[in-house]
Amino acid sequence: MGEFFLLFGDTIAAALLLSILIAIAGSLMLINRSSYIAAAIAHGSYGGVGLALYLGLPILLGVGLFALLLALLLALITYRFPQRAELIIGTIWAVGMGIGILLIHLSPGYGADLMTYLFGNILLVSREDLLLLALTDGILLLAIAIFRHHFITLAYDRDFAKIRGIWVEGTHTLLILLLALAIVASVRAVGLILVVALLSIPPFIAERMSKSFFQMVLLAALFSALFMLTGLWLSYRFDLPSSATIILTAGAGFILSLRKRP
Amino acid sequence: MSSRIAVRVEGVTFLYDQEPILEGIDATIYEGEFIAIIGPNGGGKSTFLKLLLGLLEPTQGRIEIFGLPPAKAGGLIGYTPQHLHHNLEMPLRVIDVVLQGRLGPWKFGFTQEDYAIAHQALQRLGIPHLASQPIAQLSGGQRQRTLIARALATQPKLLVLDEPTAAIDIQGQRHIYQLLKELSITRIVVSHDIKILLEGVDRVFYINKELYIHRNVSVDLDPSGHFCEMELLEELGRSNG
Ligand SMILES: Nc1ncnc2c1ncn2[C@@H]1O[C@H](COP(=O)(O)OP(=O)(O)O)[C@@H](O)[C@H]1O
Ligand SMILES: [Mg+2]
């Protein structure tokens, strides 16, 4: 156990930083029922991977630009056309991935480790990745410290928020931008596909046990830390891919939480 | 009741998908009035309220709330929506929902005073003991009272309630009608239940695409305390009184 912590100091730091990010962004996502939007940003951002490879830019820059663009587009669509949103979101999702596949195909000499962008590799995080995660945690913490009541009221009763003079479209857009930021920051560690599951599971379990939003965020952070550290330890102990052990641990937690409804 | 105007509606028509939902609505509501809105399901009552609240824009015509366009008057209005299918799973306590009535665009936290106002609103609705109850555990009636408390917590000049007692038992309804009667602010209350006409309303708006305004609606009770709802509704929809 001690050896595990020594060997994987950076990885464990990444897991803990990720837990904060997942707890905040995931809880906001869940109360606003925007998991479909987060999934579309995450999958659509594969187009950013392709773009970066094709133009020879840093991957994170490509993914970041793409995620930003998709977030603004999705904010606009889901605000203006809520009835049609699902269909359009599905299209954006698929088109983004299509662009990614095409551009990667056209980029010479690129092969297998694209899986890294879909599933990440938390064992290979760099100091820069940690810095980005810490920065993102800071931004998310600041955002909910300031806007938590606005986000909560918006999620609970949009009409009421509007009557209270809240800038509903701005708050809605900010929320989606925060989701995009969380997704981009976690690409290297957990990848575009895994991140959606991680954003969903711990906050979902936490929501059912919480009396307040604050409690939900706190519990979600504890659960995601628990799932990630357990997953990492299993990966180390049995020499298995960490992304798989992390997500399967979270999945097991999810199933257990369904059984133990108070 | 004063002669200052709280709500002015001039020639308002509202189309939804080319379909007229409200047509040629003219109305003036004075400060301090208690208005009951009744009418058939789908008659446009909720739509009328949403126009007053600035949630919908009239296709034609003009609305002023205390001299302001509805979109700028929200701060003066306390509102309870008809449909309660809000995010019921959300981890919120009753007090958190009532505090939403204290929120504003530049407000990022709640003061002691906000809490006091919210608790007072719960007191008036007779549910102070539910303050820390998670909303997921509330009955329909308790949820409705919570939302009325939230509307009161805004300390409004105009109270707009859309079928506030639909999920509340008879005794609870009386309590809420009594509360409404005691308030001196302008009140506009849509009711599914025409017993509200017995509760000191000043005027009755009957809305069925068009608006019929009635003053002094007399409700004749038969010896058992009932009246014929159908007949009365038909009559209200026939003529301007
Ligand atoms: N979002 C909407 N989609 C479709 N029809 C609507 C919508 N909003 C209102 N309507 C139509 O407007 C009419 C009036 O509805 P509403 O104002 O809710 O009536 P009431 O509150 O009197 O029952 C109904 O016929 C309804 O079908
Ligand atoms: Mg209605």
Side-chain angles (χ1 to χ4, degrees):
Chain A
M1 208 59 166
E3 181 195 11
F4 167 69
F5 280 104
L6 279 179
L7 274 175
F8 299 103
D10 281 3
T11 296
I12 287 164
L16 295 177
L17 290 171
L18 269 168
S19 299
I20 296 172
L21 173 157
I22 283 162
I24 298 173
S27 297
L28 287 175
M29 176 186 94
L30 210 65
I31 64 169
N32 274 284
R33 302 181 176 167
S34 355
S35 29
Y36 210 62
I37 298 177
I41 295 174
H43 291 85
S45 293
Y46 195 61
V49 177
L51 187 74
L53 288 176
Y54 188 71
L55 298 177
L57 299 170
I59 300 279
L60 211 54
L61 184 65
V63 172
L65 284 174
F66 232 77
L68 177 69
L69 190 81
L70 289 179
L72 291 173
L73 193 65
L74 286 163
L76 190 78
I77 288 166
T78 49
Y79 186 79
R80 296 281 162 90
F81 316 102
Q83 292 91 358
R84 296 283 155 75
E86 277 198 17
L87 185 79
I88 307 174
I89 291 174
T91 309
I92 288 178
W93 175 328
V95 168
M97 291 206 83
I99 292 173
I101 292 168
L102 191 73
L103 289 176
I104 288 164
H105 177 79
L106 294 176
S107 311
Y110 218 86
D113 62 16
L114 277 175
M115 284 292 276
T116 315
Y117 298 103
L118 293 179
F119 294 100
N121 193 340
I122 197 168
L123 300 175
L124 297 181
V125 288
S126 65
R127 283 295 153 103
E128 288 76 39
D129 296 331
L130 290 180
L131 200 65
L132 180 63
L133 282 172
L135 198 68
T136 304
D137 284 355
I139 293 172
L140 287 169
L141 280 168
L142 193 67
I144 61 161
I146 298 173
F147 292 111
R148 66 192 178 288
H149 296 300
H150 294 222
F151 288 137
I152 290 169
T153 305
L154 197 71
Y156 183 68
D157 187 346
R158 186 164 284 223
D159 282 350
F160 192 83
K162 195 167 179 194
I163 295 165
R164 291 311 302 157
I166 311 292
W167 183 31
V168 171
E169 187 165 14
T171 313
H172 175 82
T173 306
L174 175 62
L175 193 138
I176 294 174
L177 284 173
L178 291 173
L179 287 182
L181 176 65
I183 290 166
V184 173
S186 37
V187 161
R188 299 258 306 164
V190 292
L192 293 169
I193 288 180
L194 217 53
V195 69
V196 181
L198 284 175
L199 284 171
S200 307
I201 296 174
F204 176 85
I205 300 172
E207 181 177 47
R208 294 152 53 98
M209 303 167 70
S210 303
K211 275 180 94 176
S212 66
F213 182 71
F214 179 72
Q215 229 176 54
M216 176 178 177
V217 173
L218 209 67
L219 282 176
L222 291 176
F223 283 124
S224 48
L226 179 72
F227 296 152
M228 274 190 283
L229 293 180
T230 309
L232 280 173
W233 185 78
L234 290 172
S235 151
Y236 164 75
R237 179 73 180 71
F238 300 105
D239 196 19
L240 296 166
S242 62
S243 56
T245 52
I246 289 174
I247 203 62
L248 291 176
T249 307
F254 176 74
I255 290 165
L256 280 177
S257 83
L258 289 180
R259 285 167 46 92
K260 284 212 316 205
R261 182 92 177 104
Chain B
M1 205 189 304
S2 73
S3 56
R4 287 190 51 194
I5 292 172
V7 177
R8 188 202 291 280
V9 180
E10 282 174 358
V12 164
T13 290
F14 182 76
L15 306 182
Y16 189 86
D17 275 347
Q18 320 289 355
E19 185 72 22
I21 307 295
L22 293 169
E23 260 184 330
I25 309 281
D26 287 294
T28 305
I29 296 171
Y30 296 95
E31 261 184 49
E33 265 196 305
F34 183 3
I35 305 287
I37 299 182
I38 59 173
N41 264 333
K45 303 182 296 294
S46 297
T47 304
F48 181 68
L49 295 190
K50 285 183 182 162
L51 288 165
L52 299 185
L53 294 160
L55 297 173
L56 296 173
E57 292 267 337
T59 315
Q60 268 174 44
R62 224 160 63 95
I63 298 177
E64 278 184 1
I65 311 287
F66 297 105
L68 297 168
K72 296 212 163 116
L76 306 170
I77 306 176
Y79 169 59
T80 299
Q82 174 178 7
H83 294 292
L84 306 169
H85 49 232
H86 292 121
N87 205 336
L88 300 179
E89 312 276 281
M90 257 176 89
L92 289 178
R93 298 161 305 161
V94 165
I95 190 74
D96 298 321
V97 173
V98 178
L99 281 167
Q100 290 173 1
R102 305 302 307 154
L103 197 62
W106 301 107
K107 193 138 171 189
F108 305 108
F110 298 117
T111 62
Q112 287 299 319
E113 196 197 350
D114 292 324
Y115 275 92
I117 291 168
H119 278 291
Q120 201 186 349
L122 284 174
Q123 197 95 37
R124 293 179 88 164
L125 269 301
I127 50 169
H129 55 288
L130 295 181
S132 334
Q133 191 90 350
I135 54 165
Q137 294 169 13
L138 298 180
S139 71
Q142 290 170 334
R143 198 168 301 129
Q144 227 156 12
R145 283 168 194 262
T146 303
L147 294 180
I148 300 171
R150 181 180 69 168
L152 287 181
T154 64
Q155 299 189 315
K157 286 180 75 178
L158 169 64
L159 195 60
V160 175
L161 309 181
D162 199 348
E163 309 212 5
T165 61
I168 298 179
D169 60 56
I170 303 274
Q171 217 172 350
Q173 291 183 5
R174 292 218 64 111
H175 172 226
I176 285 166
Y177 290 144
Q178 189 60 37
L179 173 70
L180 290 174
K181 210 188 292 186
E182 285 164 11
L183 294 171
S184 54
I185 55 171
T186 316
R187 288 141 290 166
I188 303 175
V189 180
V190 172
S191 182
H192 68 291
D193 168 19
I194 71 180
K195 278 201 292 301
I196 192 171
L197 305 186
L198 299 167
E199 304 291 343
V201 303
D202 295 308
R203 284 189 291 162
V204 179
F205 285 15
Y206 176 91
I207 296 183
N208 188 8
K209 195 161 14 168
E210 293 172 55
L211 168 65
Y212 304 86
I213 299 179
H214 298 270
R215 199 178 281 282
N216 305 320
V217 172
S218 66
V219 178
D220 296 321
L221 297 177
D222 74 17
S224 61
H226 291 93
F227 54 86
C228 181
E229 198 163 317
M230 285 310 294
E231 248 173 51
L232 182 65
L233 274 175
E234 263 178 34
E235 190 171 328
L236 292 173
R238 211 173 288 139
S239 58
N240 274 324

